[in-house]
Amino acid sequence: RILITATRQAFTSRARIAQAAGLDPMRQKIIVVKLGYLMPDLYDHAPRSILALTPGLTDLDLQRFDYHQVERPIFPLDSDADRQVLGN
């Protein structure tokens, strides 16, 4: 079963999935949601979660972006950059 919405929907709970899909998510072997992280109701019932870093406007893989006005090296972009604590 695949649920695709015509408008943006945040599936943040089992109840929301059940309402939209008309099925009990707890009876499914695998559930995939396109969120940056699992919300508490889903996380509490997931024996395992996998985060997929995909390109896009909210990409969390900082290495994929082009930086133009940044003095290098800079943490966390460059592995040879010194870590500095704010205020020191």
Side-chain angles (χ1 to χ4, degrees), residues 9 16 23 26 33-34 49 55 58 61 64 68 70 75 80-81 83:
Q9 301 288 319
R16 180 71 185 104
L23 55 84
M26 297 304 292
V33 291
K34 185 182 178 290
S49 65
T58 57
D61 184 352
R64 282 196 261 243
H68 299 284
V70 176
F75 179 80
D80 59 341
R83 295 181 185 207

Side-chain angles (χ1 to χ4, degrees), residues 21-66:
L23 55 84
D24 180 1
M26 297 304 292
R27 298 193 64 199
Q28 310 309 307
K29 190 171 184 175
I30 297 173
I31 299 248
V32 176
V33 291
K34 185 182 178 290
L35 293 170
Y37 53 89
L38 289 182
M39 298 306 237
D41 184 53
L42 299 176
Y43 184 82
D44 290 345
H45 295 90
R48 179 176 179 207
S49 65
I50 299 170
L51 176 63
L53 295 177
T54 58
L57 294 175
T58 57
D59 196 340
L60 296 178
D61 184 352
L62 301 178
Q63 301 297 330
R64 282 196 261 243
F65 290 103
D66 292 325

